[in-house]
mmCIF file of all heavy atoms in Angstrom:
data_model
loop_
_atom_site.group_PDB
_atom_site.id
_atom_site.type_symbol
_atom_site.label_atom_id
_atom_site.label_comp_id
_atom_site.label_asym_id
_atom_site.label_seq_id
_atom_site.Cartn_x
_atom_site.Cartn_y
_atom_site.Cartn_z
ATOM 1 N N GLY A 584 40.022 106.148 110.190
ATOM 2 C CA GLY A 584 41.157 106.925 110.679
ATOM 3 C C GLY A 584 42.346 106.955 109.748
ATOM 4 O O GLY A 584 43.434 107.402 110.141
ATOM 5 N N PHE A 585 42.164 106.524 108.498
ATOM 6 C CA PHE A 585 43.266 106.507 107.536
ATOM 7 C C PHE A 585 43.113 107.627 106.522
ATOM 8 O O PHE A 585 42.024 107.859 105.998
ATOM 9 C CB PHE A 585 43.325 105.163 106.800
ATOM 10 C CG PHE A 585 44.165 104.131 107.490
ATOM 11 C CD1 PHE A 585 43.853 103.709 108.776
ATOM 12 C CD2 PHE A 585 45.279 103.596 106.875
ATOM 13 C CE1 PHE A 585 44.630 102.769 109.427
ATOM 14 C CE2 PHE A 585 46.075 102.652 107.519
ATOM 15 C CZ PHE A 585 45.740 102.237 108.799
ATOM 16 N N GLY A 586 44.228 108.301 106.238
ATOM 17 C CA GLY A 586 44.233 109.356 105.236
ATOM 18 C C GLY A 586 45.139 109.055 104.063
ATOM 19 O O GLY A 586 45.438 109.930 103.256
ATOM 20 N N ARG A 587 45.585 107.773 103.972
ATOM 21 C CA ARG A 587 46.461 107.361 102.879
ATOM 22 C C ARG A 587 46.009 105.998 102.368
ATOM 23 O O ARG A 587 45.583 105.144 103.155
ATOM 24 C CB ARG A 587 47.925 107.254 103.334
ATOM 25 C CG ARG A 587 48.586 108.563 103.721
ATOM 26 C CD ARG A 587 50.031 108.305 104.118
ATOM 27 N NE ARG A 587 50.803 109.524 104.316
ATOM 28 C CZ ARG A 587 50.974 110.141 105.464
ATOM 29 N NH1 ARG A 587 50.404 109.629 106.566
ATOM 30 N NH2 ARG A 587 51.693 111.233 105.559
ATOM 31 N N VAL A 588 46.147 105.787 101.059
ATOM 32 C CA VAL A 588 45.790 104.490 100.472
ATOM 33 C C VAL A 588 46.818 104.104 99.423
ATOM 34 O O VAL A 588 47.472 104.968 98.817
ATOM 35 C CB VAL A 588 44.388 104.511 99.813
ATOM 36 C CG1 VAL A 588 43.312 104.838 100.847
ATOM 37 C CG2 VAL A 588 44.341 105.494 98.640
ATOM 38 N N ALA A 589 46.963 102.802 99.218
ATOM 39 C CA ALA A 589 47.761 102.268 98.108
ATOM 40 C C ALA A 589 46.809 101.445 97.245
ATOM 41 O O ALA A 589 46.103 100.578 97.762
ATOM 42 C CB ALA A 589 48.908 101.408 98.627
ATOM 43 N N VAL A 590 46.801 101.741 95.964
ATOM 44 C CA VAL A 590 45.824 101.117 95.066
ATOM 45 C C VAL A 590 46.496 100.697 93.763
ATOM 46 O O VAL A 590 47.594 101.149 93.432
ATOM 47 C CB VAL A 590 44.668 102.089 94.738
ATOM 48 C CG1 VAL A 590 43.924 102.497 96.007
ATOM 49 C CG2 VAL A 590 45.187 103.326 94.002
ATOM 50 N N SER A 591 45.791 99.856 93.045
ATOM 51 C CA SER A 591 46.221 99.480 91.702
ATOM 52 C C SER A 591 45.016 99.440 90.772
ATOM 53 O O SER A 591 44.841 100.288 89.911
ATOM 54 C CB SER A 591 46.921 98.118 91.707
ATOM 55 O OG SER A 591 47.332 97.762 90.402
ATOM 56 N N GLY A 592 44.139 98.448 90.990
ATOM 57 C CA GLY A 592 42.971 98.287 90.125
ATOM 58 C C GLY A 592 42.066 99.498 90.087
ATOM 59 O O GLY A 592 41.476 99.798 89.039
ATOM 60 N N ALA A 593 41.928 100.205 91.188
ATOM 61 C CA ALA A 593 41.042 101.370 91.235
ATOM 62 C C ALA A 593 41.468 102.449 90.256
ATOM 63 O O ALA A 593 40.664 103.285 89.838
ATOM 64 C CB ALA A 593 41.008 101.950 92.655
ATOM 65 N N VAL A 594 42.728 102.438 89.864
ATOM 66 C CA VAL A 594 43.245 103.407 88.898
ATOM 67 C C VAL A 594 43.466 102.770 87.534
ATOM 68 O O VAL A 594 42.985 103.259 86.511
ATOM 69 C CB VAL A 594 44.562 104.027 89.416
ATOM 70 C CG1 VAL A 594 45.277 104.802 88.303
ATOM 71 C CG2 VAL A 594 44.298 104.938 90.604
ATOM 72 N N LEU A 595 44.187 101.650 87.530
ATOM 73 C CA LEU A 595 44.602 101.058 86.253
ATOM 74 C C LEU A 595 43.509 100.263 85.565
ATOM 75 O O LEU A 595 43.586 100.023 84.355
ATOM 76 C CB LEU A 595 45.831 100.166 86.487
ATOM 77 C CG LEU A 595 47.047 100.872 87.096
ATOM 78 C CD1 LEU A 595 48.198 99.898 87.259
ATOM 79 C CD2 LEU A 595 47.470 102.070 86.252
ATOM 80 N N ARG A 596 42.470 99.850 86.301
ATOM 81 C CA ARG A 596 41.358 99.101 85.705
ATOM 82 C C ARG A 596 40.045 99.869 85.778
ATOM 83 O O ARG A 596 38.970 99.293 85.628
ATOM 84 C CB ARG A 596 41.218 97.747 86.397
ATOM 85 C CG ARG A 596 42.447 96.859 86.241
ATOM 86 C CD ARG A 596 42.218 95.469 86.782
ATOM 87 N NE ARG A 596 43.407 94.644 86.646
ATOM 88 C CZ ARG A 596 43.479 93.361 86.966
ATOM 89 N NH1 ARG A 596 42.404 92.745 87.451
ATOM 90 N NH2 ARG A 596 44.602 92.673 86.815
ATOM 91 N N SER A 597 40.144 101.136 85.994
ATOM 92 C CA SER A 597 38.950 101.971 86.079
ATOM 93 C C SER A 597 38.375 102.232 84.690
ATOM 94 O O SER A 597 39.085 102.192 83.682
ATOM 95 C CB SER A 597 39.309 103.301 86.745
ATOM 96 O OG SER A 597 38.242 104.200 86.684
ATOM 97 N N ASP A 598 37.076 102.535 84.647
ATOM 98 C CA ASP A 598 36.436 102.919 83.388
ATOM 99 C C ASP A 598 36.854 104.325 82.970
ATOM 100 O O ASP A 598 36.707 104.698 81.810
ATOM 101 C CB ASP A 598 34.904 102.866 83.534
ATOM 102 C CG ASP A 598 34.388 101.448 83.747
ATOM 103 O OD1 ASP A 598 35.074 100.509 83.307
ATOM 104 O OD2 ASP A 598 33.301 101.291 84.351
ATOM 105 N N GLN A 599 37.369 105.066 83.926
ATOM 106 C CA GLN A 599 37.811 106.432 83.633
ATOM 107 C C GLN A 599 39.260 106.430 83.149
ATOM 108 O O GLN A 599 40.002 105.460 83.380
ATOM 109 C CB GLN A 599 37.730 107.296 84.890
ATOM 110 C CG GLN A 599 36.357 107.431 85.516
ATOM 111 C CD GLN A 599 36.401 108.399 86.676
ATOM 112 O OE1 GLN A 599 36.636 109.594 86.492
ATOM 113 N NE2 GLN A 599 36.200 107.889 87.881
ATOM 114 N N PRO A 600 39.702 107.510 82.526
ATOM 115 C CA PRO A 600 41.130 107.653 82.223
ATOM 116 C C PRO A 600 41.944 107.596 83.515
ATOM 117 O O PRO A 600 41.455 107.978 84.590
ATOM 118 C CB PRO A 600 41.218 109.039 81.572
ATOM 119 C CG PRO A 600 39.851 109.287 81.010
ATOM 120 C CD PRO A 600 38.903 108.625 81.970
ATOM 121 N N ILE A 601 43.159 107.140 83.423
ATOM 122 C CA ILE A 601 44.003 106.937 84.605
ATOM 123 C C ILE A 601 44.142 108.215 85.428
ATOM 124 O O ILE A 601 44.025 108.186 86.660
ATOM 125 C CB ILE A 601 45.389 106.413 84.179
ATOM 126 C CG1 ILE A 601 45.267 104.966 83.694
ATOM 127 C CG2 ILE A 601 46.399 106.512 85.325
ATOM 128 C CD1 ILE A 601 46.548 104.387 83.128
ATOM 129 N N ALA A 602 44.368 109.337 84.773
ATOM 130 C CA ALA A 602 44.537 110.589 85.507
ATOM 131 C C ALA A 602 43.272 110.947 86.277
ATOM 132 O O ALA A 602 43.335 111.389 87.433
ATOM 133 C CB ALA A 602 44.913 111.722 84.549
ATOM 134 N N ASN A 603 42.116 110.758 85.659
ATOM 135 C CA ASN A 603 40.849 111.086 86.322
ATOM 136 C C ASN A 603 40.595 110.163 87.511
ATOM 137 O O ASN A 603 40.155 110.608 88.578
ATOM 138 C CB ASN A 603 39.692 110.982 85.332
ATOM 139 C CG ASN A 603 39.738 112.059 84.259
ATOM 140 O OD1 ASN A 603 40.597 112.944 84.307
ATOM 141 N ND2 ASN A 603 38.826 112.000 83.309
ATOM 142 N N ALA A 604 40.858 108.867 87.319
ATOM 143 C CA ALA A 604 40.644 107.908 88.403
ATOM 144 C C ALA A 604 41.552 108.218 89.584
ATOM 145 O O ALA A 604 41.145 108.119 90.748
ATOM 146 C CB ALA A 604 40.900 106.492 87.895
ATOM 147 N N THR A 605 42.787 108.596 89.286
ATOM 148 C CA THR A 605 43.720 108.971 90.350
ATOM 149 C C THR A 605 43.235 110.219 91.077
ATOM 150 O O THR A 605 43.244 110.284 92.314
ATOM 151 C CB THR A 605 45.119 109.222 89.768
ATOM 152 O OG1 THR A 605 45.563 108.069 89.052
ATOM 153 C CG2 THR A 605 46.116 109.542 90.876
ATOM 154 N N ARG A 606 42.786 111.199 90.318
ATOM 155 C CA ARG A 606 42.335 112.468 90.901
ATOM 156 C C ARG A 606 41.137 112.269 91.828
ATOM 157 O O ARG A 606 41.033 112.924 92.865
ATOM 158 C CB ARG A 606 41.984 113.458 89.782
ATOM 159 C CG ARG A 606 41.433 114.795 90.265
ATOM 160 C CD ARG A 606 42.408 115.531 91.163
ATOM 161 N NE ARG A 606 43.640 115.870 90.451
ATOM 162 C CZ ARG A 606 44.691 116.413 91.044
ATOM 163 N NH1 ARG A 606 44.665 116.654 92.357
ATOM 164 N NH2 ARG A 606 45.778 116.699 90.352
ATOM 165 N N CYS A 607 40.260 111.361 91.488
ATOM 166 C CA CYS A 607 39.095 111.095 92.338
ATOM 167 C C CYS A 607 39.531 110.619 93.724
ATOM 168 O O CYS A 607 38.964 111.029 94.741
ATOM 169 C CB CYS A 607 38.190 110.058 91.682
ATOM 170 S SG CYS A 607 37.259 110.676 90.270
ATOM 171 N N LEU A 608 40.518 109.757 93.762
ATOM 172 C CA LEU A 608 41.025 109.261 95.051
ATOM 173 C C LEU A 608 41.740 110.360 95.822
ATOM 174 O O LEU A 608 41.555 110.513 97.036
ATOM 175 C CB LEU A 608 41.968 108.082 94.817
ATOM 176 C CG LEU A 608 41.340 106.810 94.254
ATOM 177 C CD1 LEU A 608 42.430 105.830 93.820
ATOM 178 C CD2 LEU A 608 40.425 106.151 95.286
ATOM 179 N N VAL A 609 42.572 111.126 95.121
ATOM 180 C CA VAL A 609 43.302 112.220 95.764
ATOM 181 C C VAL A 609 42.322 113.227 96.357
ATOM 182 O O VAL A 609 42.474 113.680 97.508
ATOM 183 C CB VAL A 609 44.247 112.909 94.756
ATOM 184 C CG1 VAL A 609 44.850 114.176 95.358
ATOM 185 C CG2 VAL A 609 45.353 111.945 94.326
ATOM 186 N N ASP A 610 41.293 113.571 95.604
ATOM 187 C CA ASP A 610 40.306 114.539 96.080
ATOM 188 C C ASP A 610 39.539 114.005 97.281
ATOM 189 O O ASP A 610 39.258 114.745 98.236
ATOM 190 C CB ASP A 610 39.338 114.905 94.958
ATOM 191 C CG ASP A 610 39.977 115.765 93.880
ATOM 192 O OD1 ASP A 610 41.080 116.292 94.120
ATOM 193 O OD2 ASP A 610 39.381 115.893 92.785
ATOM 194 N N ALA A 611 39.188 112.732 97.245
ATOM 195 C CA ALA A 611 38.445 112.137 98.356
ATOM 196 C C ALA A 611 39.248 112.222 99.648
ATOM 197 O O ALA A 611 38.707 112.511 100.722
ATOM 198 C CB ALA A 611 38.092 110.696 98.040
ATOM 199 N N LEU A 612 40.545 111.990 99.554
ATOM 200 C CA LEU A 612 41.388 112.029 100.751
ATOM 201 C C LEU A 612 41.710 113.455 101.173
ATOM 202 O O LEU A 612 41.908 113.723 102.362
ATOM 203 C CB LEU A 612 42.677 111.243 100.498
ATOM 204 C CG LEU A 612 42.468 109.730 100.367
ATOM 205 C CD1 LEU A 612 43.725 109.058 99.842
ATOM 206 C CD2 LEU A 612 42.060 109.120 101.698
ATOM 207 N N SER A 613 41.754 114.374 100.232
ATOM 208 C CA SER A 613 42.034 115.768 100.593
ATOM 209 C C SER A 613 40.887 116.385 101.364
ATOM 210 O O SER A 613 41.084 117.339 102.131
ATOM 211 C CB SER A 613 42.315 116.597 99.330
ATOM 212 O OG SER A 613 41.136 116.722 98.540
ATOM 213 N N ASN A 614 39.687 115.847 101.194
ATOM 214 C CA ASN A 614 38.513 116.352 101.901
ATOM 215 C C ASN A 614 38.268 115.631 103.219
ATOM 216 O O ASN A 614 37.314 115.938 103.937
ATOM 217 C CB ASN A 614 37.264 116.214 101.023
ATOM 218 C CG ASN A 614 37.333 117.108 99.787
ATOM 219 O OD1 ASN A 614 37.886 118.200 99.845
ATOM 220 N ND2 ASN A 614 36.792 116.635 98.681
ATOM 221 N N ALA A 615 39.130 114.650 103.528
ATOM 222 C CA ALA A 615 38.960 113.895 104.766
ATOM 223 C C ALA A 615 39.324 114.764 105.961
ATOM 224 O O ALA A 615 40.170 115.664 105.856
ATOM 225 C CB ALA A 615 39.844 112.646 104.744
ATOM 226 N N PRO A 616 38.711 114.499 107.118
ATOM 227 C CA PRO A 616 39.085 115.229 108.332
ATOM 228 C C PRO A 616 40.557 115.012 108.636
ATOM 229 O O PRO A 616 41.142 113.986 108.284
ATOM 230 C CB PRO A 616 38.199 114.594 109.417
ATOM 231 C CG PRO A 616 37.066 113.973 108.673
ATOM 232 C CD PRO A 616 37.637 113.538 107.351
ATOM 233 N N ALA A 617 41.165 115.979 109.276
ATOM 234 C CA ALA A 617 42.582 115.865 109.624
ATOM 235 C C ALA A 617 42.817 114.623 110.457
ATOM 236 O O ALA A 617 42.077 114.337 111.392
ATOM 237 C CB ALA A 617 43.036 117.103 110.389
ATOM 238 N N SER A 618 43.846 113.872 110.115
ATOM 239 C CA SER A 618 44.140 112.627 110.820
ATOM 240 C C SER A 618 44.709 112.938 112.199
ATOM 241 O O SER A 618 45.434 113.896 112.394
ATOM 242 C CB SER A 618 45.159 111.792 110.032
ATOM 243 O OG SER A 618 44.629 111.403 108.790
#
Side-chain angles (χ1 to χ4, degrees):
F585 271 60
R587 293 181 171 93
V588 299
V590 299
S591 180
V594 168
L595 302 181
R596 298 187 181 184
S597 172
D598 294 334
Q599 300 185 66
I601 289 175
N603 292 355
T605 304
R606 177 60 63 186
C607 287
L608 293 169
V609 171
D610 289 346
L612 291 168
S613 68
N614 294 326
S618 296

